[in-house]
Amino acid sequence: MRVMVLVKATEDSEAGLKPSAELTEMFEAMGRFNEELVNAGILLAGDGLKPSSEGKRVAFDGPGRTVTDGPFAETRELVAGFWIWEVKDMAEAVEWVKRCPNPMPGPSEIEIRPFYELADFGDVVTPELAERENQLRARVSGQ
């Protein structure tokens, strides 16, 4: 089962990273945790995101597109970083997240969301579509 593990933004993450001893300790702890994930064969991808002030949103309405510059309100709805993991089930993902060092200087939250798999769509996915999707995934992963 593939899951996306979302590190929710905080006021601290939206303010941008400021060099400090606390930040160095946090990076070192997170580096050790990421190494554990790699050694366990779980980590597929992951990274931190810059504050929303450096981002853009594109809103869709039929054929129209509207671009909005950051920063975006409601910090608790924003994502500051992510991992993509391959785990056996949601319980394993939860256990790994519970072992994670706090990703922020203060209180923080991590959300775990499973990816859709082709099997979730049943008969809607034809064998041809499944093969094309598998080929694309292989190309993306470099296999």
Side-chain angles (χ1 to χ4, degrees), residues 5-7 34 43 45-50 79-84:
V5 181
L6 303 163
V7 177
N34 285 336
L43 182 63
D47 227 322
L49 302 172
K50 290 186 176 184
V79 175
F82 72 95
W83 290 281
I84 298 176

Side-chain angles (χ1 to χ4, degrees), residues 5-90:
V5 181
L6 303 163
V7 177
K8 302 304 279 266
T10 64
E11 288 183 17
D12 289 326
S13 68
E14 279 295 289
L17 299 176
K18 311 283 188 282
S20 69
E22 184 179 30
L23 184 63
T24 299
E25 289 173 20
M26 193 170 62
F27 279 168
E28 288 173 355
M30 198 58 71
R32 288 188 299 273
F33 180 68
N34 285 336
E35 190 171 342
E36 286 181 54
L37 293 169
V38 168
N39 292 340
I42 289 172
L43 182 63
L44 301 178
D47 227 322
L49 302 172
K50 290 186 176 184
S52 70
S53 60
E54 297 190 39
K56 298 195 182 291
R57 284 190 177 159
V58 180
F60 293 73
D61 187 3
R65 307 293 185 264
T66 304
V67 178
T68 304
D69 295 333
F72 308 118
E74 295 299 322
T75 299
R76 70 182 196 281
E77 300 298 326
L78 299 174
V79 175
F82 72 95
W83 290 281
I84 298 176
W85 294 347
E86 180 77 41
V87 293
K88 68 180 182 224
D89 55 26
M90 188 60 83

